[in-house]
Amino acid sequence: MVVETCPSCDRTDVGDGRSCPSCGQVLGAPKGVKLASFEQRLKGFMLDGFVLFAAGIVGLLFLIELLDILFEPPNLLVIVLVVVGGGPFGIWSLWWLLILNRSQTPGKQLAGTRVMNAATGEPAGPVRTFFRESVAKSVTGFVFGWFFAIHILWALWDPDRQSLYDKFAGTVVVDDREYRRQQAAI
């Protein structure tokens, strides 16, 4: 049996998890890359969720206005709301697409977190990050969301701080500040 040692705190009994239970070092990642706190994760989740909610409202207003234009003269207030709301959503969407390659979403970037491949300790990459953010969150949210958001709260008691959608996508969320320090040192 091979005993793995934590590269950050030199603890030898790290167990079978994806991170050191003592210091939070992600095993397989460069030394110093540690799991993000639940608070950091929640902040990123809420920032992304707020924008999606706002985008849904703007989209609904746009649809209402489109139907209204087809049958009656346009409502100036709704047009202004769609333009004012659609501009920030368009900027957010472009930002999302540009940083997806860095294994982040705008909410994660603002919260100081990054998505990593749980098996390799490397950045998740654009495909896995897109899968995590769209498919994994949607499926686990639909299946488990009705049960008091268990798919999100799972990270509170999971030893690797993985939510159910992280387990589904094979990812962990790390403190991006530590990751960037490590990348700058290389």
Side-chain angles (χ1 to χ4, degrees), residues 6-103:
C6 174
S8 187
C9 69
D10 295 326
R11 185 175 172 167
T12 58
D13 58 338
V14 293
D16 295 332
R18 300 180 195 285
S19 64
C20 176
S22 176
C23 68
Q25 166 73 37
V26 176
L27 303 175
K31 181 179 178 181
V33 177
K34 299 185 179 188
L35 294 172
S37 69
F38 184 76
E39 292 79 19
Q40 280 180 297
R41 292 180 55 118
L42 188 59
K43 181 180 174 185
F45 183 84
M46 290 177 68
L47 286 167
D48 283 332
F50 174 74
V51 171
L52 284 174
F53 176 76
I57 297 296
V58 169
L60 182 62
L61 288 174
F62 180 74
L63 182 61
I64 290 169
E65 185 59 23
L66 183 63
L67 292 173
D68 196 36
I69 288 172
L70 294 175
F71 300 108
E72 294 179 16
N75 182 340
L76 184 61
L77 176 63
V78 175
I79 290 174
V80 169
L81 287 174
V82 169
V83 170
V84 169
F89 176 68
I91 292 168
W92 185 273
S93 300
L94 182 60
W95 183 11
W96 194 84
L97 288 171
L98 289 174
I99 64 171
L100 197 62
N101 195 38
R102 291 193 268 171
S103 304

Side-chain angles (χ1 to χ4, degrees), residues 11 18 30 42 44-45 68 91 128-129 141 154 157 160 164 171 175 180 186:
R11 185 175 172 167
R18 300 180 195 285
L42 188 59
F45 183 84
D68 196 36
I91 292 168
R128 186 179 297 261
T129 303
W154 194 274
W157 58 80
D160 295 320
L164 288 179
T171 58
D175 186 328
R180 283 187 292 166
I186 294 176

